[in-house]
Amino acid sequence: MLGRLWLLLVLTLSLSAFAGQLDERRLNALITPIVEAEIAARHIPGAVVLVGEGRTVVYRRAFGQRALIPAPEPMTVDTVFDLASLTKAVATAPAVLQLVERGLLSLDAPVARYWPRFAAQGKEAITVRQLLSHTSGLPAGLDIRHAQGPEELLARIAALKPGGRAGGDPVYSDVNFIVLGELVRRISGLPLDEYSWRRLFQPLGMHDTGFLPPAARLPRIAPTTWSGGEVRRGVVHDPLAARLCGVAGNAGLFGTADDLGRFAHAVLDNDPILLKPASLRGFFIPQTYPAASPRSLGWRPQAPLAANRAALPPFGAISHLGYTGTGLWIDPLSGVYVVILSNRVHPDGGGDAAPLRARIIDAVAASLPALPAERIASAYPELGERVEPYITKAVPQRVKTGIDVLEADAFAPLRGLRIGLLTNRSGVDASGRRSIDVLARAPGATLAVLFSPEHGLTADREGRIRDDSDSLSGLPVRSLYGATRRPTPTMLDGLDAVVVDLQDAGTRFYTYASTLAHLMETAAAQGVRVIVLDRPNPLRADRVQGPLLDAERRGFTGYWPLPLRHGLTLGEFARLFRAEAKVDVQLQIVPMQGYRRDMWYDDTGLPWLPPSPNLTSLAAVERYPGVGIVEGAEVSVGRGTPTPFEVVGAPWIDGPRLANELNALQLPGVRFGATRFQPAAGPYAGENCNGVRIIVDDRDAVDMPTLGVALAASLHRLDPGHFTLDRILGNLGSRATLEAIRAGTPPAAIAAAWHDELATYLARRAAFLLYE
């Protein structure tokens, strides 16, 4: 029933609601300079771009050269490209799902059921679904040195030892899809190339698409070039696929833009020749967490193509890229698909198609109307919890954040300045445009460099982040959570100012305030101005709770003596830190308009754009200053589940007993229910955890740091052998509070002991507040 409803919705949206929204002339005016600039920069020799809407190809054009050596050849719209990893999405994933439809394969069956030798080295539990969603734990690639043909290569894969846990964080892997291609051969009795031709490409009219292209097609094939200088034409570029004689589940497919357009149209039209609607839906439904970088069955879910794309959840549309410079995007909500094909590895094995693809997709999206997040929730009701934070509730007056106020002031504070920007995906304006792109076009200012905090520019990464570049703007990105956690003088060289547009979490141990403080210290020494575009404190900025950080415990997860719930916006923190730390930096805050201190985030009329991988909902943010206290100990706080920070558990916990213990405390506004969950990340990843769910009945009444103390005290009292109390000191930040927990002091009495230092803190912060 759900599949039929989705089919009706998709057909209605794709063929009528957005019909005629794209205009060929406008697209040409936008796309032509992008492609020509990328060719001039020698990032690509040429490209073919095709844009379709509903049943109409709106735009189709070839640019530049198909080949540069040994002789120049002009690009044509019927050029055949080595599609590289598009093979995974266009051939292998559909072939596997067709076999599932026919009852010959089960997504949740172990791979070893169909290929017994695959069970070696602990792989017996890896499922077909995990291969399709890149959560198998298999490595990204394979050492192919000295491999003597396909049989030996497949034997090596069967003997591989996983590098990670099955069902954990996604790791994009060619090996996954080589295994899937082998399953197609074993189950159907046909090699992948023959199966794909018979069941996919020929029935869909994709006559120029296939593996091992025939000699007659060679003159139209765009060559690729290995780094050693070997030019390949009609021979797969991917080394793994080449060792498998050009037929592999990960790469080896050749095709044209028109054929990929036919495939995209089949997806949008729910063409049963390709797959049934329920199977096609598997392309779009995320199989993984975190929400910021999901994987589906063979594809990567993406935000829909819409003018406000940067402010939408990463669901609704799908895409896949290919190493050689190819890409395909399909969006049922707009009815639009985009094909971008280049052979960026020609003529020297280098090139870079990332800016080309990012800028064209941005141009197409900007040409479409804005899309309310409610439309995504309607199309994908099973994603309701993951889409809900992006849906803004009606409010009397929507808050204008600092970037919107700056725009309204025609960017006056930036005129004549060469600037950097510290931001991540949470930095967008009211129209859903990235602050990066807004400031890159600001009149009179020059945006020269980007800085990213913990979790990177896309706010979806864990661990150390390397320097990078932003594909859309082309600007360098300097990581402040990599080799260094503060900008070096060299990073600020030549800048007049650094603009900061980040969404904070309102909790002392969230690291963005520390990154801002480090920036201010370096900027002061370099004579560089800091301009903070303010954003709301999501936790009500009129509430201050928890112990203050001990002065001797200052570090990256607590750089200044603040309480756990500090009641400051990031702009207000900057003012307080400059004064109290005596940092002689030229600081300017661009304050919000319409913001009040008593607002929760969902009172502002702004969408919640997760600033990090596990603060995916407002429920998570609201519980963070309490549940985060115990995270350093031997418990899971739900990272890698749909409800991070809403649950606490471990295999050793007695959930009902812990729930009873906590409920007996009668903490205001909150209760606890026993639960079981299996986290995909963090401590106990892949294990069944028993514990409690934190159920908030009245968020205005809850003192979250007190809740965190209650959790720590109960866990320590019930099982001190498993719960190491000292391990929570990092986030708790107060030795006196830790010792009070150890001594068995009731949580309410511990909270009462914070009163005097909180009163002193309130007096300290009063001079730096910007909002009533």
Side-chain angles (χ1 to χ4, degrees), residues 376-429:
I376 304 173
S378 297
Y380 305 95
E382 61 268 67
L383 297 179
E385 287 187 357
R386 299 173 75 175
V387 176
E388 190 275 334
Y390 297 82
I391 300 174
T392 58
K393 69 179 186 181
V395 296
Q397 179 182 354
R398 179 168 169 154
V399 168
K400 293 180 69 172
T401 64
I403 184 65
D404 297 311
V405 174
L406 185 69
E407 286 184 77
D409 194 26
F411 306 98
L414 307 183
R415 285 182 188 156
L417 301 183
R418 181 177 173 85
I419 61 173
L421 173 63
L422 169 59
T423 191
N424 63 11
R425 77 177 299 256
S426 67
V428 301
D429 72 356

Side-chain angles (χ1 to χ4, degrees), residues 8 40 60 108 137 165 233 317 360 370 375 391 401 413 522 546 563 577 691 706 715 764:
L8 178 62
R60 177 170 165 263
D108 294 311
R165 183 185 59 81
R233 193 165 203 150
I360 290 176
R375 290 277 294 284
I391 300 174
T401 64
T522 305
F577 179 72
T706 302
L715 288 165
R764 279 172 50 202

Side-chain angles (χ1 to χ4, degrees), residues 105-149:
L105 186 65
S106 172
L107 286 176
D108 294 311
V111 175
R113 177 185 297 179
Y114 311 103
W115 185 6
R117 288 183 64 191
F118 183 80
Q121 297 284 358
K123 300 194 298 299
E124 64 277 357
I126 293 174
T127 66
V128 176
R129 186 187 300 274
Q130 289 166 347
L131 294 177
L132 281 166
S133 58
H134 293 288
T135 58
S136 68
L138 292 176
L142 182 70
D143 183 357
I144 61 174
R145 290 174 295 180
H146 313 301
Q148 301 297 318

Side-chain angles (χ1 to χ4, degrees), residues 253-335:
L253 196 65
F254 287 76
T256 63
D258 283 344
D259 276 2
L260 290 178
R262 292 183 181 96
F263 180 91
H265 182 261
V267 173
L268 291 176
D269 237 6
N270 279 262
D271 190 336
I273 293 175
L274 176 58
L275 287 167
K276 296 175 182 177
S279 298
L280 283 171
R281 194 171 179 81
F283 289 169
F284 295 87
I285 301 301
Q287 304 289 307
T288 62
Y289 293 92
S293 57
R295 289 281 177 185
S296 62
L297 298 181
W299 292 77
R300 181 164 188 168
Q302 300 268 287
L305 298 173
N308 61 330
R309 189 167 188 253
L312 292 174
F315 316 120
I318 53 175
S319 73
H320 210 292
L321 306 179
Y323 177 83
T324 52
T326 58
L328 174 61
W329 291 256
I330 306 174
D331 179 9
L333 293 175
S334 68

